[in-house]
Amino acid sequence: MKIRCLAFFACFLSILSLFTGCPDRKDGFDPRKPVTVTMWHNYGGQMKESMEVLIEEFNNTVGKQRGIVINVTSIAASKEQNEKLTAIANGDPGAPDMPDIVTVYPSIAGTLLEAGLIIPLDKYYTSQELSAYLPQFVEEGRLPDSKLYVFPIAKSTEVLFVNKTLFDRFSAGTGSSLENLATFEGIASAAMDYHAWTDSLTPDIKGDGKAFYTADSWFNIAEVGMAQLGDGIIGVDVLNTRHDAYKTIWNFTVLPAIGGGFFVTNGYSSDLSRTGDIICSTGSTAGALFYGNTITYPDNTIEEVEYIVLPYPVFDGGRKVALQRGAGMVVSKSVPLKEHAAVVFLKWFTEPSQNIRFVTSSGYLPVTKEAFEERMTAAIQRAENPAVGRLLETATKMAGEYDFIVAPNTGNFSSLSGEYEKTIKSAMRNGLVQVRQGGDAKIVSQQLFEEFIH
């Protein structure tokens, strides 16, 4: 009789818990008293929409069952978000409260770590759990103390975007081939041919040849190019621009630019593509959706065009190396239950089924081995936007053939790369003026180089 009573009482408690939302005694969460986790992120456009859908799904399923609510309290561009985070780290008057989760790059994460604002995530992940992620993505999130602070949720690399419609016309007129674009030297040669060919189309107007190519980041060309050629661009507090290998990068960057074959801009390559000012560019896979499928010319006529995506170019004789990019999520220092709740969301968000849905709406790449190695083919076929499908196909090909490098987490990296970008663009613009005034391109380039390295 006593045993029957105990069994009945246990059954009664089990049934009662279904109605009362009995807390999970293992992890401390209680659906009756949900934990709210605030989030900041910097995703816009389609990525923002995908993020919103997935957060709502989490809140209505896993979050509801366990007692966790994700609340996005700020969506801002990286620059604006970094300014706010820096103000928090510095303790500036009027700075906002630190969010529980925020998207950051490792460089800004270092600032937050120095201020004691973020936690290492290793204690919340077993080695088996971490082994499910692509190791290079995880390692990028480790800061100088070797602990994991920036958790990968989506990554990107750089590729070559080509306006095939315009290139086919150029090819028909000159015999140039897409295969030439596999190397940076081939791009430089094609750029000068395109500039001369477009100039020849209007013989009554001299000097109206068009540019062929631009880069979203000329520093990235130098950083990756040096790695392809066997060396690094970052030295101790300086750039290794005196290295012999760097002269190859300088010649690629400056000679075609001062000859009119490259476009120098402070904007994005996608803007120039949409006006027909260039044919191809190197840029982040995350920018794929900004290229569109039309050109609007100065006279307001519109032409539909087709873009293709080719692997990142390689310098002659160099290794296949490309840049690994993309922010991750950091978790701020708080009470253990809130920290744990943030990690529960990160684990759910990066599961293959959720992660592949997030990235296939954009130009980002998934972060788990299963999503990347086993689900990408299906994702490519399901992609609603053909441009994204082509992009993912190229990125998958690169993943099997390329080595990927990451930007260093040194404190002076931003200032070094920013100063390089500013200086190299100034040299390109000044050289173009000198050549148009009658200067010899090779002589002008050498003079500019000597000024640049001193």
mmCIF file of all heavy atoms in Angstrom, residues 142-161:
data_model
loop_
_atom_site.group_PDB
_atom_site.id
_atom_site.type_symbol
_atom_site.label_atom_id
_atom_site.label_comp_id
_atom_site.label_asym_id
_atom_site.label_seq_id
_atom_site.Cartn_x
_atom_site.Cartn_y
_atom_site.Cartn_z
ATOM 1 N N ARG A 142 39.812 32.887 -30.773
ATOM 2 C CA ARG A 142 40.652 32.824 -29.570
ATOM 3 C C ARG A 142 41.520 34.081 -29.511
ATOM 4 O O ARG A 142 42.181 34.432 -30.479
ATOM 5 C CB ARG A 142 41.516 31.566 -29.583
ATOM 6 C CG ARG A 142 40.685 30.281 -29.506
ATOM 7 C CD ARG A 142 41.535 29.055 -29.258
ATOM 8 N NE ARG A 142 40.730 27.847 -29.236
ATOM 9 C CZ ARG A 142 40.018 27.426 -28.199
ATOM 10 N NH1 ARG A 142 40.048 28.115 -27.068
ATOM 11 N NH2 ARG A 142 39.292 26.321 -28.268
ATOM 12 N N LEU A 143 41.521 34.718 -28.366
ATOM 13 C CA LEU A 143 42.304 35.936 -28.168
ATOM 14 C C LEU A 143 43.689 35.581 -27.610
ATOM 15 O O LEU A 143 43.987 34.399 -27.423
ATOM 16 C CB LEU A 143 41.522 36.883 -27.264
ATOM 17 C CG LEU A 143 40.198 37.385 -27.882
ATOM 18 C CD1 LEU A 143 39.518 38.390 -26.961
ATOM 19 C CD2 LEU A 143 40.389 37.979 -29.268
ATOM 20 N N PRO A 144 44.558 36.542 -27.384
ATOM 21 C CA PRO A 144 45.944 36.236 -27.003
ATOM 22 C C PRO A 144 46.117 35.292 -25.817
ATOM 23 O O PRO A 144 47.151 34.639 -25.704
ATOM 24 C CB PRO A 144 46.516 37.624 -26.701
ATOM 25 C CG PRO A 144 45.792 38.522 -27.643
ATOM 26 C CD PRO A 144 44.387 37.980 -27.664
ATOM 27 N N ASP A 145 45.135 35.182 -24.925
ATOM 28 C CA ASP A 145 45.275 34.246 -23.805
ATOM 29 C C ASP A 145 44.872 32.823 -24.201
ATOM 30 O O ASP A 145 44.784 31.933 -23.339
ATOM 31 C CB ASP A 145 44.461 34.708 -22.594
ATOM 32 C CG ASP A 145 42.956 34.744 -22.872
ATOM 33 O OD1 ASP A 145 42.541 34.387 -23.997
ATOM 34 O OD2 ASP A 145 42.199 35.132 -21.959
ATOM 35 N N SER A 146 44.594 32.621 -25.513
ATOM 36 C CA SER A 146 44.258 31.306 -26.087
ATOM 37 C C SER A 146 42.863 30.809 -25.727
ATOM 38 O O SER A 146 42.496 29.681 -26.075
ATOM 39 C CB SER A 146 45.295 30.239 -25.688
ATOM 40 O OG SER A 146 46.573 30.589 -26.179
ATOM 41 N N LYS A 147 42.077 31.621 -25.047
ATOM 42 C CA LYS A 147 40.720 31.222 -24.705
ATOM 43 C C LYS A 147 39.750 31.692 -25.784
ATOM 44 O O LYS A 147 39.990 32.680 -26.465
ATOM 45 C CB LYS A 147 40.327 31.796 -23.344
ATOM 46 C CG LYS A 147 41.151 31.230 -22.196
ATOM 47 C CD LYS A 147 40.760 31.856 -20.868
ATOM 48 C CE LYS A 147 41.615 31.304 -19.730
ATOM 49 N NZ LYS A 147 41.256 31.928 -18.424
ATOM 50 N N LEU A 148 38.637 30.966 -25.908
ATOM 51 C CA LEU A 148 37.649 31.253 -26.944
ATOM 52 C C LEU A 148 36.644 32.289 -26.451
ATOM 53 O O LEU A 148 35.884 32.044 -25.521
ATOM 54 C CB LEU A 148 36.919 29.962 -27.334
ATOM 55 C CG LEU A 148 35.797 30.089 -28.363
ATOM 56 C CD1 LEU A 148 36.334 30.609 -29.691
ATOM 57 C CD2 LEU A 148 35.099 28.743 -28.563
ATOM 58 N N TYR A 149 36.645 33.452 -27.088
ATOM 59 C CA TYR A 149 35.724 34.524 -26.715
ATOM 60 C C TYR A 149 34.728 34.846 -27.830
ATOM 61 O O TYR A 149 33.578 35.181 -27.555
ATOM 62 C CB TYR A 149 36.499 35.802 -26.374
ATOM 63 C CG TYR A 149 37.317 35.711 -25.115
ATOM 64 C CD1 TYR A 149 38.636 35.284 -25.151
ATOM 65 C CD2 TYR A 149 36.761 36.039 -23.886
ATOM 66 C CE1 TYR A 149 39.396 35.194 -23.995
ATOM 67 C CE2 TYR A 149 37.519 35.958 -22.708
ATOM 68 C CZ TYR A 149 38.833 35.531 -22.778
ATOM 69 O OH TYR A 149 39.574 35.442 -21.623
ATOM 70 N N VAL A 150 35.174 34.787 -29.085
ATOM 71 C CA VAL A 150 34.322 35.170 -30.222
ATOM 72 C C VAL A 150 33.837 33.902 -30.900
ATOM 73 O O VAL A 150 34.603 33.210 -31.580
ATOM 74 C CB VAL A 150 35.095 36.048 -31.224
ATOM 75 C CG1 VAL A 150 34.142 36.591 -32.277
ATOM 76 C CG2 VAL A 150 35.811 37.189 -30.507
ATOM 77 N N PHE A 151 32.550 33.598 -30.704
ATOM 78 C CA PHE A 151 32.043 32.337 -31.235
ATOM 79 C C PHE A 151 31.544 32.519 -32.667
ATOM 80 O O PHE A 151 30.797 33.455 -32.963
ATOM 81 C CB PHE A 151 30.908 31.787 -30.371
ATOM 82 C CG PHE A 151 30.719 30.315 -30.578
ATOM 83 C CD1 PHE A 151 31.571 29.412 -29.954
ATOM 84 C CD2 PHE A 151 29.741 29.832 -31.421
ATOM 85 C CE1 PHE A 151 31.432 28.044 -30.164
ATOM 86 C CE2 PHE A 151 29.596 28.482 -31.639
ATOM 87 C CZ PHE A 151 30.444 27.575 -31.010
ATOM 88 N N PRO A 152 31.958 31.628 -33.587
ATOM 89 C CA PRO A 152 31.573 31.791 -34.989
ATOM 90 C C PRO A 152 30.100 31.462 -35.219
ATOM 91 O O PRO A 152 29.594 30.458 -34.719
ATOM 92 C CB PRO A 152 32.473 30.776 -35.712
ATOM 93 C CG PRO A 152 32.716 29.701 -34.694
ATOM 94 C CD PRO A 152 32.788 30.422 -33.369
ATOM 95 N N ILE A 153 29.417 32.323 -35.943
ATOM 96 C CA ILE A 153 28.033 32.032 -36.324
ATOM 97 C C ILE A 153 27.857 32.046 -37.839
ATOM 98 O O ILE A 153 26.949 31.411 -38.382
ATOM 99 C CB ILE A 153 27.042 33.016 -35.676
ATOM 100 C CG1 ILE A 153 27.367 34.455 -36.059
ATOM 101 C CG2 ILE A 153 27.027 32.863 -34.168
ATOM 102 C CD1 ILE A 153 26.314 35.448 -35.630
ATOM 103 N N ALA A 154 28.716 32.772 -38.551
ATOM 104 C CA ALA A 154 28.691 32.811 -40.013
ATOM 105 C C ALA A 154 30.004 33.438 -40.462
ATOM 106 O O ALA A 154 30.472 34.391 -39.841
ATOM 107 C CB ALA A 154 27.507 33.622 -40.534
ATOM 108 N N LYS A 155 30.586 32.908 -41.515
ATOM 109 C CA LYS A 155 31.864 33.413 -41.992
ATOM 110 C C LYS A 155 31.769 33.774 -43.473
ATOM 111 O O LYS A 155 30.824 33.404 -44.168
ATOM 112 C CB LYS A 155 32.966 32.373 -41.778
ATOM 113 C CG LYS A 155 33.324 32.161 -40.307
ATOM 114 C CD LYS A 155 33.939 33.411 -39.712
ATOM 115 C CE LYS A 155 34.307 33.236 -38.257
ATOM 116 N NZ LYS A 155 34.926 34.451 -37.690
ATOM 117 N N SER A 156 32.775 34.494 -43.928
ATOM 118 C CA SER A 156 32.827 34.847 -45.342
ATOM 119 C C SER A 156 34.264 34.773 -45.820
ATOM 120 O O SER A 156 35.195 34.688 -45.011
ATOM 121 C CB SER A 156 32.271 36.260 -45.577
ATOM 122 O OG SER A 156 33.074 37.228 -44.911
ATOM 123 N N THR A 157 34.449 34.798 -47.112
ATOM 124 C CA THR A 157 35.775 34.904 -47.698
ATOM 125 C C THR A 157 35.673 35.913 -48.830
ATOM 126 O O THR A 157 34.628 36.550 -49.006
ATOM 127 C CB THR A 157 36.289 33.548 -48.189
ATOM 128 O OG1 THR A 157 37.641 33.684 -48.632
ATOM 129 C CG2 THR A 157 35.433 32.996 -49.324
ATOM 130 N N GLU A 158 36.731 36.077 -49.596
ATOM 131 C CA GLU A 158 36.682 36.978 -50.737
ATOM 132 C C GLU A 158 36.736 36.183 -52.029
ATOM 133 O O GLU A 158 37.404 35.141 -52.101
ATOM 134 C CB GLU A 158 37.827 37.996 -50.678
ATOM 135 C CG GLU A 158 37.646 39.011 -49.583
ATOM 136 C CD GLU A 158 38.584 40.205 -49.719
ATOM 137 O OE1 GLU A 158 39.744 40.012 -50.103
ATOM 138 O OE2 GLU A 158 38.132 41.334 -49.457
ATOM 139 N N VAL A 159 36.038 36.675 -53.026
ATOM 140 C CA VAL A 159 35.962 36.028 -54.337
ATOM 141 C C VAL A 159 36.068 37.096 -55.419
ATOM 142 O O VAL A 159 36.170 38.295 -55.125
ATOM 143 C CB VAL A 159 34.627 35.249 -54.502
ATOM 144 C CG1 VAL A 159 34.582 34.037 -53.593
ATOM 145 C CG2 VAL A 159 33.441 36.175 -54.228
ATOM 146 N N LEU A 160 36.031 36.652 -56.667
ATOM 147 C CA LEU A 160 36.051 37.580 -57.801
ATOM 148 C C LEU A 160 34.666 37.617 -58.431
ATOM 149 O O LEU A 160 34.170 36.605 -58.928
ATOM 150 C CB LEU A 160 37.081 37.130 -58.839
ATOM 151 C CG LEU A 160 37.278 38.069 -60.036
ATOM 152 C CD1 LEU A 160 38.018 39.337 -59.594
ATOM 153 C CD2 LEU A 160 38.050 37.380 -61.158
ATOM 154 N N PHE A 161 34.025 38.778 -58.391
ATOM 155 C CA PHE A 161 32.730 38.977 -59.033
ATOM 156 C C PHE A 161 32.961 39.482 -60.458
ATOM 157 O O PHE A 161 33.719 40.442 -60.658
ATOM 158 C CB PHE A 161 31.891 40.001 -58.259
ATOM 159 C CG PHE A 161 31.521 39.569 -56.866
ATOM 160 C CD1 PHE A 161 32.238 40.023 -55.763
ATOM 161 C CD2 PHE A 161 30.461 38.708 -56.659
ATOM 162 C CE1 PHE A 161 31.909 39.630 -54.477
ATOM 163 C CE2 PHE A 161 30.112 38.302 -55.366
ATOM 164 C CZ PHE A 161 30.841 38.767 -54.280
#
